[in-house]
Amino acid sequence: MKGLTDFMRASQLYAPTLRQMPAEAETKGHKLLLRAGFIRKAAGGIYTYLPLAWRTIKKIEQIIREEMDAAGGQEIAMPIIQPAELWRESGRWDVYGAEMMRLTDRHDREFSLGPTHEEMVTALIRDEVRSYKQLPLLLYQIQNKYRDEIRPRFGLMRGREFIMKDLYSFDKDVDGMNTSYQKMFDAYTKIFTRCGLKFRPVEADNGAIGGGHSHEFTVLAESGESNIACCTKCSYAASDEKAELKPLTAADEELLPVDKIATPGAHTIELLADYLKIPVEKTIKAVAFADEADGRLILAFVRGDHEVNETKLLNATGALHLVMADDDAIKAAGGCPGFMSPIGIDGAKAVVVVDATVANMKNAVTGANEVDFHYKNVTPSRDFPAFCQIADIRLVKEGDACPKCGAPLTLTRGIEAGQVFALGTKYSEKLNARFLDETGKEKPFQMGCYGIGVGRTMQAAIEQNGDENGIVWPRAIAPFEVAVVPINGKDEQQLSFAQKIYDELKTAGIDALLDDRPERAGVKFKDCDLIGYPLRITVSPKGIENGEVEVKVRKTGEIFVFAADAYLTEVQNLLREL
RNA sequence: CGGGGUGUAGUUCAGCUUGGUAGAACACUUGCCUUGGGAGCAAGGGGUCGCAGGUUCAAAUCCUGUCGCUCCGACCA
């Protein structure tokens, strides 16, 4: 394969496999990357990529480059070290907070280690691009990014230094931006398909980056950190943060007057439902947050069996970042932790958001803002104060109705390997990046940004495809496609036969490795399984004698024996299916 | 930030309670033997026990401090 260093001999390849498992690894992918000699940790969330990993990384990058270029992208390389001033212009120097790695030079000038490059690329464009005739413009790079994660974990899944492809699109209008967005969406679909991964593009929340619509490309894997909701009937799929929910309606029943009742010790929903012998669906749960930015109290109310979706709550309140509220703040607003409801809350001291499903409830039980007391027969539409804001703030759960067609949603775990954002003019306006349109009018650029975690994609492939014996690489991103293994690495005849096969594979354009190590067969077989070469060709005295070539498929464990003069075609056929 | 755990050979760990010659397995080196699923035998090399103080005749072990790493939590009302 072009551009790749050719380690043809395993005896010279630096691939320190471990027989024993380093203790700290958590997920399948993290364990296998360490065990199979792909990565080594330098510090929390910071890793060295060893030769095998780097080959895979380069293959993934190559696929990305080809698809980015095909979609009209041009590769550039922006600095990792970025001046603080740029981030102050966009307002993100403070917004990004502790997540940003910062440094100071000898003159006390402040810099960041780029966590992303919207500011940088926008500043680049604003000084150079003056006319709509120069648009659209799609620029991308593949390089290290830095984020001081609160808790790095799972190896390459959540690192503090990681490789990312980021592309930025600049268009003259919204239509143009949507066209660029669609190009990227299609390119991402091709990239993950070519990488041999099972994935799902899902509607996503834009989060802190802002802007309009967004999709995440989620690689399906049990060990993933994100949940996606997929419709069992139609094509709707969304991240759990995003998944919209229509409010549930309550059964018709006669509205009863509110009644205050003693509920000693019932400070959780479970205790309460238990004590009153009512279903949790008849209770209303309170969750108290504070906006980290201005400290204001935010009270969220959802049905007893539901959970608060913090992302939706953020969007509903315009808060910056939610933290747990402390009890004093709750009490100051008239609330009572453990026995809370909107009734009796001082609307001037708290933002109260009621989930749309709660707004439809009838004769429910809710706290009385007094220790050991609740109200029963509360009907929010009648009894809740007017300052309550009603919004969809609940987290999706298995079986909820699809917002598009009403069929049940199913929840699946996955790894967010890529995300595309339609940004609009958020950054171009902040940074004053404008051009002249056809009518000579000055306009801000319509932007989009599109990221792929390269290391994360590599690990995602393992999370999805590894088994108890090791990695099972999709052929397109395997460090080598075929390993040629003479069972006796000291036997001249076997070695030269293996060498001949190796040469033939290379000539046919197959990325092969010759395992010429003087190890016992068992050791080499174990390593092959661990490292996960899609195919293994075993060279034995028996095979040489019979003029046969033995091929083992890592994924299925199948073993094929081909005639020596015909094996090459068969190997190519097998590879095509992997 | 809150709460645990941990730091001893390249790696995984034991030893610490009850202070007294620093250990095992794997890895490594050399030789023999062996070669279809991480072999066997023999002989070796390798650690100022995270760091700094203190107690003691004597500290990996007890005390104090400090640094690193790691896990859980920070979506409970």
Side-chain angles (χ1 to χ4, degrees):
Chain A
M1 175 159 194
K2 260 188 277 176
L4 292 176
T5 312
D6 192 3
F7 287 106
M8 79 166 192
R9 294 173 179 278
S11 60
Q12 290 159 34
L13 176 68
Y14 185 55
T17 55
L18 303 174
R19 193 179 297 201
Q20 207 166 8
M21 203 45 245
E24 81 266 12
E26 295 261 1
T27 66
K28 182 165 66 178
H30 187 195
K31 281 181 190 165
L32 291 176
L33 282 172
L34 287 167
R35 262 201 77 193
F38 279 68
I39 61 169
R40 287 294 181 265
K41 187 170 73 171
I46 300 175
Y47 291 85
T48 294
Y49 304 90
L50 300 178
L52 288 171
W54 201 239
R55 291 182 71 94
T56 291
I57 293 278
K58 284 193 206 171
K59 287 188 179 184
I60 296 171
E61 288 182 349
Q62 188 55 33
I63 290 170
I64 292 173
R65 282 201 174 89
E66 287 170 15
E67 296 302 334
M68 289 296 104
D69 292 347
Q74 301 177 59
E75 187 169 6
I76 60 174
M78 288 184 274
I80 288 170
I81 297 182
Q82 307 183 19
E85 143 192 299
L86 214 44
W87 288 82
R88 293 212 166 92
E89 261 189 81
S90 73
R92 287 209 291 181
W93 182 255
D94 298 317
V95 174
Y96 230 95
E99 289 273 287
M100 191 148 64
M101 294 273 202
R102 294 156 204 260
L103 57 95
T104 308
D105 71 7
R106 60 168 70 189
H107 305 295
D108 270 342
R109 281 193 282 259
E110 293 174 294
F111 293 88
S112 76
L113 253 36
T116 176
H117 281 72
E118 282 82 19
E119 281 80 358
M120 199 79 221
V121 74
T122 308
L124 174 78
I125 291 315
R126 73 176 163 190
D127 298 330
E128 311 286 345
V129 179
R130 310 301 314 161
S131 163
Y132 73 93
K133 292 176 190 165
Q134 294 165 279
L135 303 177
L137 185 59
L138 281 65
L139 299 175
Y140 76 97
Q141 57 177 355
I142 302 177
Q143 55 148 222
N144 282 351
K145 294 279 186 285
Y146 296 83
R147 290 182 195 171
D148 198 357
E149 291 287 343
I150 190 168
R151 214 182 128 196
R153 59 181 132 179
F154 306 143
L156 268 24
M157 298 302 296
R158 184 173 294 276
R160 295 195 294 169
E161 175 182 89
F162 55 96
I163 304 169
M164 182 171 172
K165 186 284 305 182
D166 46 325
L167 183 143
Y168 304 89
S169 67
F170 297 86
D171 279 279
K172 61 178 181 177
D173 53 25
V174 172
D175 278 355
M177 174 182 76
N178 287 336
T179 303
S180 294
Y181 185 93
Q182 190 58 44
K183 275 187 191 168
M184 284 300 120
F185 186 97
D186 294 342
Y188 275 37
T189 302
K190 285 182 193 152
I191 288 165
F192 292 112
T193 303
R194 284 182 62 185
C195 285
L197 299 171
K198 290 185 279 293
F199 69 98
R200 191 86 201 245
V202 304
E203 291 180 23
D205 186 81
N206 281 53
I209 202 164
H213 52 291
S214 174
H215 284 87
E216 282 176 14
F217 284 74
T218 306
V219 174
L220 274 26
E222 272 312 304
S223 52
E225 287 190 274
S226 47
N227 278 306
I228 60 173
C230 301
C231 180
T232 47
K233 268 228 180 89
C234 77
S235 63
Y236 181 81
S239 73
D240 63 344
E241 294 181 333
K242 177 76 175 178
E244 296 157 38
L245 297 167
K246 292 200 174 128
L248 305 176
T249 52
D252 238 351
E253 54 187 282
E254 189 190 343
L255 299 188
L256 303 170
V258 173
D259 191 9
K260 185 168 162 184
I261 52 171
T263 51
H267 63 282
T268 67
I269 290 296
E270 288 69 32
L271 291 171
L272 178 68
D274 229 34
Y275 180 81
L276 297 174
K277 302 198 174 10
I278 55 170
V280 286
E281 290 81 7
K282 292 295 277 184
T283 65
I284 298 171
K285 176 157 78 178
V287 187
F289 299 92
D291 182 358
E292 201 175 35
D294 53 17
R296 71 194 157 128
L297 183 65
I298 295 173
L299 301 178
F301 292 88
V302 293
R303 205 171 75 180
D305 57 320
H306 291 160
E307 298 295 331
V308 173
N309 180 328
E310 282 195 37
T311 302
K312 288 181 182 175
L313 188 60
L314 274 177
N315 291 336
T317 58
L320 187 65
H321 181 64
L322 297 176
V323 294
M324 287 297 107
D326 61 52
D327 287 0
D328 292 341
I330 297 172
K331 285 172 188 157
C336 173
F339 301 90
M340 202 134 62
S341 82
I343 304 168
I345 294 293
D346 181 349
K349 290 186 179 157
V351 177
V352 179
V353 186
V354 174
D355 182 61
T357 292
V358 171
N360 287 344
M361 290 170 76
K362 289 166 187 160
N363 298 327
V365 173
T366 180
N369 287 319
E370 187 180 333
V371 176
D372 292 344
F373 284 95
H374 280 82
Y375 292 125
K376 70 173 185 181
N377 301 329
V378 169
T379 299
S381 59
R382 180 191 65 190
D383 304 320
F384 277 11
F387 57 72
C388 291
Q389 180 186 341
I390 294 169
D392 169 20
I393 56 164
R394 60 173 273 238
L395 191 65
V396 64
K397 58 180 199 176
E398 186 85 26
D400 274 330
C402 169
K404 289 265 157 57
C405 76
L409 293 171
T410 167
L411 289 182
T412 308
R413 295 191 73 80
I415 295 156
E416 184 202 330
Q419 188 162 11
V420 292
F421 298 92
L423 293 175
T425 58
K426 173 172 172 174
Y427 294 91
S428 49
E429 272 176 7
K430 281 241 168 76
L431 292 160
N432 199 29
R434 298 166 189 283
F435 65 97
L436 294 179
D437 72 5
E438 295 93 323
T439 63
K441 225 169 80 190
E442 199 171 58
K443 279 185 176 170
F445 295 98
Q446 289 288 341
M447 294 174 58
C449 73
Y450 316 87
I452 292 179
V454 177
R456 200 184 260 200
T457 300
M458 171 167 75
Q459 187 169 335
I462 304 171
E463 301 289 351
Q464 185 177 83
N465 298 302
D467 64 22
E468 61 282 0
N469 293 317
I471 303 171
V472 181
W473 287 111
R475 175 256 181 122
I477 60 174
F480 294 93
E481 295 173 307
V482 182
V484 184
V485 183
I487 59 169
N488 184 343
K490 290 177 184 163
D491 182 294
E492 283 305 324
Q493 194 197 10
Q494 286 180 41
L495 269 177
S496 65
F497 192 77
Q499 176 79 51
K500 175 170 161 284
I501 290 176
Y502 171 83
D503 290 340
E504 288 168 358
L505 292 171
K506 293 296 279 189
T507 305
I510 294 168
D511 190 21
L513 170 94
L514 176 61
D515 194 344
D516 59 336
R517 293 175 302 166
E519 295 284 351
R520 297 169 62 82
V523 173
K524 296 199 272 195
F525 291 163
K526 287 285 186 193
D527 272 349
C528 282
D529 289 349
L530 186 56
I531 292 168
Y533 311 112
L535 295 181
R536 184 186 86 202
I537 294 182
T538 315
V539 173
S540 65
K542 189 179 64 185
I544 297 174
E545 198 179 312
N546 299 343
E548 289 168 351
V549 173
E550 177 186 320
V551 180
K552 181 175 179 184
V553 180
R554 173 66 180 87
K555 187 175 177 178
T556 60
E558 293 167 288
I559 293 177
F560 298 95
V561 178
F562 302 119
D565 56 1
Y567 82 94
L568 197 54
T569 317
E570 300 290 351
V571 165
Q572 284 168 321
N573 287 340
L574 284 171
L575 279 176
R576 252 190 290 281
E577 321 230 315
L578 300 168

